[in-house]
Short mmCIF file of all heavy atoms in Angstrom, two decimals:
data_model
loop_
_atom_site.label_atom_id
_atom_site.label_comp_id
_atom_site.label_asym_id
_atom_site.label_seq_id
_atom_site.Cartn_x
_atom_site.Cartn_y
_atom_site.Cartn_z
N PRO H 56 140.77 -82.40 -7.30
CA PRO H 56 139.70 -83.30 -7.50
C PRO H 56 139.77 -84.46 -6.59
O PRO H 56 140.91 -84.82 -6.17
CB PRO H 56 139.86 -83.70 -8.98
CG PRO H 56 141.24 -83.42 -9.26
CD PRO H 56 141.69 -82.24 -8.48
N LYS H 57 138.76 -85.10 -6.26
CA LYS H 57 138.72 -86.33 -5.49
C LYS H 57 139.40 -87.36 -6.35
O LYS H 57 139.32 -87.35 -7.56
CB LYS H 57 137.23 -86.67 -5.13
CG LYS H 57 136.55 -85.75 -4.26
CD LYS H 57 136.94 -85.95 -2.71
CE LYS H 57 136.49 -84.82 -1.91
NZ LYS H 57 137.45 -84.00 -1.49
N PHE H 58 139.93 -88.42 -5.65
CA PHE H 58 140.51 -89.49 -6.48
C PHE H 58 140.40 -90.83 -5.82
O PHE H 58 140.32 -90.98 -4.51
CB PHE H 58 142.03 -89.19 -6.78
CG PHE H 58 142.92 -89.11 -5.46
CD1 PHE H 58 143.58 -90.32 -5.14
CD2 PHE H 58 143.01 -87.84 -4.83
CE1 PHE H 58 144.37 -90.17 -3.93
CE2 PHE H 58 143.85 -87.98 -3.62
CZ PHE H 58 144.47 -89.04 -3.19
N ASP H 59 140.55 -91.94 -6.58
CA ASP H 59 140.69 -93.31 -5.97
C ASP H 59 142.09 -93.78 -6.29
O ASP H 59 142.66 -93.43 -7.37
CB ASP H 59 139.77 -94.19 -6.61
CG ASP H 59 138.27 -93.98 -6.32
OD1 ASP H 59 138.01 -93.47 -5.30
OD2 ASP H 59 137.47 -94.07 -7.27
N LEU H 60 142.71 -94.47 -5.33
CA LEU H 60 144.01 -94.93 -5.54
C LEU H 60 144.02 -96.37 -5.75
O LEU H 60 143.47 -97.16 -4.98
CB LEU H 60 144.88 -94.50 -4.21
CG LEU H 60 146.32 -95.06 -4.26
CD1 LEU H 60 147.21 -94.41 -5.33
CD2 LEU H 60 146.91 -94.90 -2.94
N ILE H 61 144.75 -96.91 -6.70
CA ILE H 61 144.97 -98.27 -7.01
C ILE H 61 146.49 -98.46 -6.88
O ILE H 61 147.25 -97.84 -7.52
CB ILE H 61 144.55 -98.68 -8.49
CG1 ILE H 61 143.03 -98.38 -8.58
CG2 ILE H 61 144.93 -100.05 -8.67
CD1 ILE H 61 142.55 -98.72 -10.02
N GLU H 62 146.80 -99.40 -5.94
CA GLU H 62 148.26 -99.53 -5.81
C GLU H 62 148.53 -100.98 -6.33
O GLU H 62 148.01 -102.00 -5.98
CB GLU H 62 148.60 -99.61 -4.34
CG GLU H 62 150.04 -99.96 -4.03
CD GLU H 62 150.50 -99.64 -2.66
OE1 GLU H 62 150.44 -98.52 -2.05
OE2 GLU H 62 150.64 -100.73 -1.89
N TYR H 63 149.56 -101.09 -7.32
CA TYR H 63 149.88 -102.36 -7.86
C TYR H 63 150.74 -103.24 -6.99
O TYR H 63 151.32 -102.69 -6.00
CB TYR H 63 150.60 -102.15 -9.19
CG TYR H 63 149.83 -101.71 -10.31
CD1 TYR H 63 150.52 -101.51 -11.60
CD2 TYR H 63 148.50 -101.60 -10.25
CE1 TYR H 63 149.67 -101.14 -12.75
CE2 TYR H 63 147.75 -101.21 -11.41
CZ TYR H 63 148.35 -101.02 -12.61
OH TYR H 63 147.61 -100.73 -13.73
N ASP H 64 150.60 -104.48 -7.14
CA ASP H 64 151.30 -105.40 -6.45
C ASP H 64 151.89 -106.44 -7.43
O ASP H 64 151.21 -107.16 -8.02
CB ASP H 64 150.40 -106.15 -5.42
CG ASP H 64 151.16 -107.13 -4.44
OD1 ASP H 64 152.43 -106.95 -4.46
OD2 ASP H 64 150.49 -107.93 -3.78
N PRO H 65 153.19 -106.57 -7.48
CA PRO H 65 154.16 -105.93 -6.70
C PRO H 65 154.46 -104.50 -7.28
O PRO H 65 154.16 -104.18 -8.45
CB PRO H 65 155.48 -106.76 -6.98
CG PRO H 65 155.24 -107.26 -8.41
CD PRO H 65 153.73 -107.52 -8.54
N LEU H 66 154.95 -103.71 -6.33
CA LEU H 66 155.44 -102.28 -6.79
C LEU H 66 156.74 -102.37 -7.43
O LEU H 66 157.50 -103.21 -6.88
CB LEU H 66 155.37 -101.38 -5.69
CG LEU H 66 154.06 -101.09 -4.96
CD1 LEU H 66 154.15 -100.35 -3.59
CD2 LEU H 66 153.23 -100.19 -5.90
N LEU H 67 157.05 -101.62 -8.45
CA LEU H 67 158.28 -101.82 -9.17
C LEU H 67 159.16 -100.69 -9.22
O LEU H 67 158.66 -99.47 -9.42
CB LEU H 67 157.94 -102.35 -10.52
CG LEU H 67 157.21 -103.63 -10.84
CD1 LEU H 67 156.96 -103.74 -12.30
CD2 LEU H 67 158.21 -104.82 -10.36
N ASP H 68 160.49 -100.88 -9.16
CA ASP H 68 161.45 -99.81 -9.55
C ASP H 68 161.27 -99.90 -11.05
O ASP H 68 161.12 -100.94 -11.70
CB ASP H 68 162.86 -100.32 -9.23
CG ASP H 68 163.83 -99.22 -9.68
OD1 ASP H 68 163.89 -98.89 -10.81
OD2 ASP H 68 164.62 -98.83 -8.79
N SER H 69 161.07 -98.77 -11.67
CA SER H 69 160.57 -98.73 -13.23
C SER H 69 161.68 -99.35 -14.04
O SER H 69 161.38 -99.65 -15.28
CB SER H 69 160.30 -97.35 -13.62
OG SER H 69 161.37 -96.59 -13.91
N SER H 70 162.85 -99.58 -13.62
CA SER H 70 163.89 -100.30 -14.39
C SER H 70 163.41 -101.76 -14.65
O SER H 70 163.82 -102.39 -15.64
CB SER H 70 165.24 -100.33 -13.65
OG SER H 70 165.67 -99.21 -13.25
N ASN H 71 162.44 -102.32 -13.85
CA ASN H 71 161.98 -103.54 -14.01
C ASN H 71 160.73 -103.64 -14.91
O ASN H 71 160.08 -104.76 -15.07
CB ASN H 71 161.64 -104.24 -12.70
CG ASN H 71 162.99 -104.54 -11.93
OD1 ASN H 71 163.97 -104.86 -12.53
ND2 ASN H 71 162.96 -104.31 -10.60
N ILE H 72 160.28 -102.45 -15.40
CA ILE H 72 159.02 -102.56 -16.20
C ILE H 72 159.32 -103.11 -17.58
O ILE H 72 160.15 -102.85 -18.24
CB ILE H 72 158.42 -101.07 -16.07
CG1 ILE H 72 158.04 -100.77 -14.76
CG2 ILE H 72 157.38 -100.96 -17.24
CD1 ILE H 72 156.68 -100.07 -14.60
N ARG H 73 158.26 -103.96 -17.87
CA ARG H 73 158.33 -104.53 -19.26
C ARG H 73 156.96 -104.34 -19.92
O ARG H 73 156.08 -103.80 -19.37
CB ARG H 73 158.46 -106.16 -19.03
CG ARG H 73 159.82 -106.48 -18.41
CD ARG H 73 159.73 -108.00 -18.11
NE ARG H 73 159.10 -108.88 -19.09
CZ ARG H 73 159.69 -109.53 -20.02
NH1 ARG H 73 160.96 -109.51 -20.20
NH2 ARG H 73 159.02 -110.30 -20.91
N TYR H 74 156.85 -104.91 -21.16
CA TYR H 74 155.61 -104.66 -21.79
C TYR H 74 154.39 -105.25 -21.07
O TYR H 74 153.20 -104.73 -21.27
CB TYR H 74 155.74 -105.22 -23.32
CG TYR H 74 155.68 -106.80 -23.32
CD1 TYR H 74 154.36 -107.29 -23.52
CD2 TYR H 74 156.70 -107.62 -23.11
CE1 TYR H 74 154.24 -108.63 -23.58
CE2 TYR H 74 156.54 -109.01 -23.04
CZ TYR H 74 155.36 -109.53 -23.31
OH TYR H 74 155.26 -110.80 -23.27
N GLU H 75 154.57 -106.31 -20.33
CA GLU H 75 153.28 -106.83 -19.59
C GLU H 75 152.84 -105.81 -18.69
O GLU H 75 151.66 -105.75 -18.40
CB GLU H 75 153.73 -107.93 -18.79
CG GLU H 75 154.17 -109.28 -19.49
CD GLU H 75 155.68 -109.37 -19.57
OE1 GLU H 75 156.36 -108.22 -19.67
OE2 GLU H 75 156.18 -110.52 -19.45
N HIS H 76 153.65 -104.84 -18.10
CA HIS H 76 153.30 -103.94 -17.16
C HIS H 76 152.55 -102.79 -17.96
O HIS H 76 151.67 -102.07 -17.53
CB HIS H 76 154.44 -103.34 -16.31
CG HIS H 76 155.14 -104.50 -15.62
ND1 HIS H 76 156.37 -104.90 -16.08
CD2 HIS H 76 154.61 -105.41 -14.62
CE1 HIS H 76 156.76 -106.02 -15.30
NE2 HIS H 76 155.80 -106.26 -14.45
N TRP H 77 153.06 -102.38 -19.09
CA TRP H 77 152.46 -101.42 -19.94
C TRP H 77 151.00 -101.99 -20.23
O TRP H 77 150.03 -101.15 -20.21
CB TRP H 77 153.09 -101.30 -21.32
CG TRP H 77 154.53 -100.82 -21.30
CD1 TRP H 77 155.12 -100.15 -20.36
CD2 TRP H 77 155.49 -100.82 -22.48
NE1 TRP H 77 156.40 -99.78 -20.59
CE2 TRP H 77 156.56 -100.28 -21.99
CE3 TRP H 77 155.38 -101.35 -23.69
CZ2 TRP H 77 157.78 -100.16 -22.81
CZ3 TRP H 77 156.45 -101.29 -24.57
CH2 TRP H 77 157.64 -100.63 -24.04
N MET H 78 150.89 -103.32 -20.44
CA MET H 78 149.59 -103.86 -20.71
C MET H 78 148.62 -103.65 -19.45
O MET H 78 147.50 -103.42 -19.70
CB MET H 78 149.74 -105.37 -20.95
CG MET H 78 150.39 -105.66 -22.34
SD MET H 78 149.12 -105.74 -23.61
CE MET H 78 148.34 -107.23 -23.10
N ARG H 79 149.22 -103.90 -18.35
CA ARG H 79 148.33 -103.90 -17.20
C ARG H 79 147.76 -102.45 -17.01
O ARG H 79 146.55 -102.27 -16.65
CB ARG H 79 149.22 -104.27 -15.95
CG ARG H 79 148.40 -104.26 -14.66
CD ARG H 79 148.97 -104.86 -13.49
NE ARG H 79 147.93 -104.84 -12.43
CZ ARG H 79 148.32 -104.97 -11.19
NH1 ARG H 79 149.59 -105.30 -10.81
NH2 ARG H 79 147.43 -104.82 -10.21
N ILE H 80 148.78 -101.50 -17.19
CA ILE H 80 148.24 -100.10 -16.95
C ILE H 80 147.21 -99.72 -18.14
O ILE H 80 146.19 -99.16 -17.83
CB ILE H 80 149.39 -99.07 -17.12
CG1 ILE H 80 150.46 -99.35 -16.02
CG2 ILE H 80 148.98 -97.69 -17.01
CD1 ILE H 80 151.83 -98.67 -16.29
N ALA H 81 147.44 -100.08 -19.28
CA ALA H 81 146.55 -99.79 -20.45
C ALA H 81 145.22 -100.50 -20.24
O ALA H 81 144.16 -99.85 -20.42
CB ALA H 81 147.19 -100.12 -21.75
N GLU H 82 145.29 -101.72 -19.75
CA GLU H 82 144.06 -102.41 -19.56
C GLU H 82 143.22 -101.77 -18.46
O GLU H 82 142.00 -101.59 -18.63
CB GLU H 82 144.33 -103.87 -19.10
CG GLU H 82 144.31 -104.89 -20.32
CD GLU H 82 144.93 -106.18 -19.77
OE1 GLU H 82 145.11 -106.55 -18.62
OE2 GLU H 82 145.42 -106.89 -20.82
N ASP H 83 143.88 -101.39 -17.44
CA ASP H 83 143.11 -100.78 -16.27
C ASP H 83 142.50 -99.45 -16.82
O ASP H 83 141.33 -99.15 -16.42
CB ASP H 83 144.06 -100.46 -15.07
CG ASP H 83 144.28 -101.83 -14.32
OD1 ASP H 83 143.46 -102.72 -14.52
OD2 ASP H 83 145.24 -101.78 -13.50
N VAL H 84 143.24 -98.64 -17.49
CA VAL H 84 142.65 -97.43 -18.01
C VAL H 84 141.53 -97.59 -19.01
O VAL H 84 140.50 -97.10 -18.76
CB VAL H 84 143.90 -96.52 -18.73
CG1 VAL H 84 143.23 -95.35 -19.35
CG2 VAL H 84 144.82 -95.98 -17.76
N HIS H 85 141.63 -98.64 -19.77
CA HIS H 85 140.68 -98.96 -20.67
C HIS H 85 139.40 -99.28 -19.95
O HIS H 85 138.22 -98.96 -20.22
CB HIS H 85 141.16 -100.04 -21.60
CG HIS H 85 140.12 -100.52 -22.61
ND1 HIS H 85 139.78 -101.79 -22.84
CD2 HIS H 85 139.50 -99.80 -23.58
CE1 HIS H 85 138.93 -101.90 -23.80
NE2 HIS H 85 138.70 -100.67 -24.27
N ARG H 86 139.60 -100.26 -18.92
CA ARG H 86 138.42 -100.67 -18.22
C ARG H 86 137.76 -99.65 -17.40
O ARG H 86 136.43 -99.62 -17.31
CB ARG H 86 138.93 -101.93 -17.25
CG ARG H 86 137.96 -102.50 -16.36
CD ARG H 86 138.59 -103.74 -15.67
NE ARG H 86 139.91 -103.45 -15.00
CZ ARG H 86 139.94 -102.93 -13.68
NH1 ARG H 86 138.73 -102.64 -13.06
NH2 ARG H 86 141.05 -102.59 -13.17
N LEU H 87 138.48 -98.59 -16.89
CA LEU H 87 137.89 -97.70 -16.00
C LEU H 87 137.70 -96.40 -16.58
O LEU H 87 137.29 -95.48 -15.93
CB LEU H 87 138.83 -97.48 -14.67
CG LEU H 87 139.09 -98.72 -13.95
CD1 LEU H 87 140.28 -98.40 -12.94
CD2 LEU H 87 137.85 -99.08 -13.10
N TYR H 88 137.92 -96.39 -18.07
CA TYR H 88 137.82 -95.10 -18.80
C TYR H 88 136.65 -94.26 -18.55
O TYR H 88 136.65 -93.11 -18.38
CB TYR H 88 138.03 -95.44 -20.14
CG TYR H 88 138.36 -94.29 -21.12
CD1 TYR H 88 139.58 -93.66 -20.96
CD2 TYR H 88 137.38 -93.74 -22.02
CE1 TYR H 88 139.95 -92.58 -21.79
CE2 TYR H 88 137.67 -92.73 -22.89
CZ TYR H 88 138.99 -92.25 -22.77
OH TYR H 88 139.31 -91.08 -23.57
N ASP H 89 135.49 -94.99 -18.44
CA ASP H 89 134.21 -94.12 -18.50
C ASP H 89 133.96 -93.77 -16.96
O ASP H 89 133.05 -92.79 -16.73
CB ASP H 89 133.04 -95.08 -18.85
CG ASP H 89 133.17 -95.29 -20.41
OD1 ASP H 89 133.74 -94.45 -21.09
OD2 ASP H 89 132.55 -96.43 -20.84
#
Side-chain angles (χ1 to χ4, degrees):
K57 297 277 167 252
F58 66 92
D59 291 327
L60 176 69
I61 299 175
E62 181 174 290
Y63 281 179
D64 185 15
L66 292 167
L67 294 174
D68 184 301
S69 75
S70 307
N71 292 322
I72 288 221
R73 290 167 46 90
Y74 76 92
E75 296 99 323
H76 306 109
W77 298 343
M78 288 274 291
R79 177 162 184 202
I80 303 169
E82 266 167 19
D83 281 346
V84 171
H85 181 232
R86 183 171 50 86
L87 300 168
Y88 193 68
D89 292 335

